[in-house]
Amino acid sequence: GFAGSGSNDDEAYAGGEGCIGEAEAHAGPFGVGVQGPGAEGNFRIGNKGLKVDSGANVASGKVQVGPVKVGAGVGIKGALRAGYGGVGAIVPGVGGAVVAKDGLELAVGLFNFKIGW
């Protein structure tokens, strides 16, 4: 995992993440991955907007076919995005959606889904 904070001319940021176990495998354009229990927290604010991600993950998995990545997980997820190429909100334990230029993230209760490209 990592942790860090700082600022530059156009934004302030802080964040960290860590997990107990992670495995990933790729063969050509195909890939699969699983991740064990972990937590994350990231905060960015600047002239590009506001981006907040937080959560505690029990387990998650992902599949990649070429440039498209699809993932699903069980845990508590929270997010708020206004700028940084996206917009939306996810309320921890309730749900919501974030739509971004590089993908879509949905959460319903303790289940969360991510589609990226």
Side-chain angles (χ1 to χ4, degrees):
F2 77 92
S5 64
S7 65
N8 57 34
D9 290 343
D10 58 2
E11 73 177 358
Y13 58 90
E17 67 180 59
C19 70
I20 292 175
E22 183 173 6
E24 205 166 312
H26 292 272
F30 303 101
V32 295
V34 294
Q35 189 173 25
E40 72 163 325
N42 293 293
F43 171 84
R44 289 187 176 272
I45 186 167
N47 62 11
K48 294 179 184 175
L50 171 68
K51 181 178 181 181
V52 179
D53 287 297
S54 65
N57 186 37
V58 176
S60 64
K62 66 182 176 182
V63 176
Q64 180 172 349
V65 180
V68 178
K69 298 173 231 163
V70 179
V74 177
I76 297 172
K77 172 75 178 171
L80 179 62
R81 180 98 55 103
Y84 284 95
V87 64
I90 296 174
V91 179
V94 177
V98 172
V99 180
K101 64 182 180 183
D102 61 348
L104 171 67
E105 194 166 355
L106 300 170
V108 179
L110 297 178
F111 299 96
N112 49 73
F113 307 92
K114 191 181 275 188
I115 302 168
W117 44 82

